[in-house]
Amino acid sequence: MVIAIDGPAASGKGTLGRRIAEALGLSHLDTGLLYRAVAARCLADGTLADEAASVAAAHALDLSTLDPEALRGGEMGEAASVVAARPAVRAALFDLQRRFAARPGGAVLDGRDIGTVICPDATVKLFVTATPEVRAERRYRELAARGAGTSFEDVLADIRVRDARDSGRSAAPLMRADDALLLDTTHLTVEGVFSEAMKLIRAKIGKV
Ligand code: CDP
């Protein structure tokens, strides 16, 4: 079984993906971390503007060394969306994601193009959304709790820029797959999102 979760920045895909994977005993991959890791490498090397360097960083990526905590910052999200707009970077990360999805026990992948490009045959596809303001509020709280000194306005501005870049790019733009189930989380708590998602999954596969 493969569950594909897509949605815009800070829509709660990662948290939801983790919860679903735990509940169903599946492996989970937050694919945003891959683009964040490529961006982190480029930021560290001062090569963010160098497409070839970002492609090389994508090829060199090792899943076992990803450090989610270190990759969570706002600066990394912004830089991730820059490298993610490059088709050759996306191509370099394609096989790794496909292999993850093919794990024998089944998998949950979340990102922007999982239901459309990476796993078009996923068992269940969810498209998770919320208003930009609500997403910014959630991300702001998360960053503030980790001691980041960013303002709500900065977080909202970052989310709007990334939404526009992720939806407007020609390489695998953020898009709801025709057969993806829509989950608007604007008025839901984390628990509420999880229970709605599980209802959608059960309705789709008729068990669990
Ligand atoms: O957690 P948040 O939604 O802020 O971001 P993320 O999921 O970690 O993704 C960071 C950036 O990576 C996004 O803005 C996208 O540009 C890019 N990304 C992508 O293009 N395709 C994916 N499957 C996942 C992330």
Side-chain angles (χ1 to χ4, degrees), residues 82-104:
V82 171
V83 298
R86 298 174 181 156
V89 169
R90 308 197 71 83
L93 296 173
F94 184 81
D95 285 346
L96 184 154
Q97 295 176 81
R98 294 282 295 183
R99 275 198 305 278
F100 194 95
R103 284 188 174 193

Side-chain angles (χ1 to χ4, degrees), residues 3 18 30 36 40 42 45 48 57 59 86 94 170 206-207:
I3 299 188
R18 221 169 12 256
D30 171 349
R36 284 172 180 265
C42 294
D45 295 347
L48 193 60
H59 278 297
R86 298 174 181 156
F94 184 81
S170 54
K207 54 181 173 123

Side-chain angles (χ1 to χ4, degrees), residues 1-49:
M1 168 156 65
V2 173
I3 299 188
I5 308 177
D6 290 300
S11 54
K13 309 172 298 293
T15 307
L16 178 61
R18 221 169 12 256
R19 294 287 305 274
I20 293 175
E22 262 168 37
L24 302 181
L26 307 170
S27 302
H28 172 232
L29 180 61
D30 171 349
T31 63
L33 289 179
L34 308 178
Y35 296 91
R36 284 172 180 265
V38 171
R41 178 77 265 153
C42 294
L43 284 173
D45 295 347
T47 55
L48 193 60

Side-chain angles (χ1 to χ4, degrees), residues 9-10 13 31-32 36 81 84 90 112-113 139 162 166 169:
K13 309 172 298 293
T31 63
R36 284 172 180 265
S81 88
R90 308 197 71 83
R112 302 291 188 289
D113 63 340
R139 181 54 49 91
R162 282 208 286 143
D166 292 350
R169 70 187 178 207

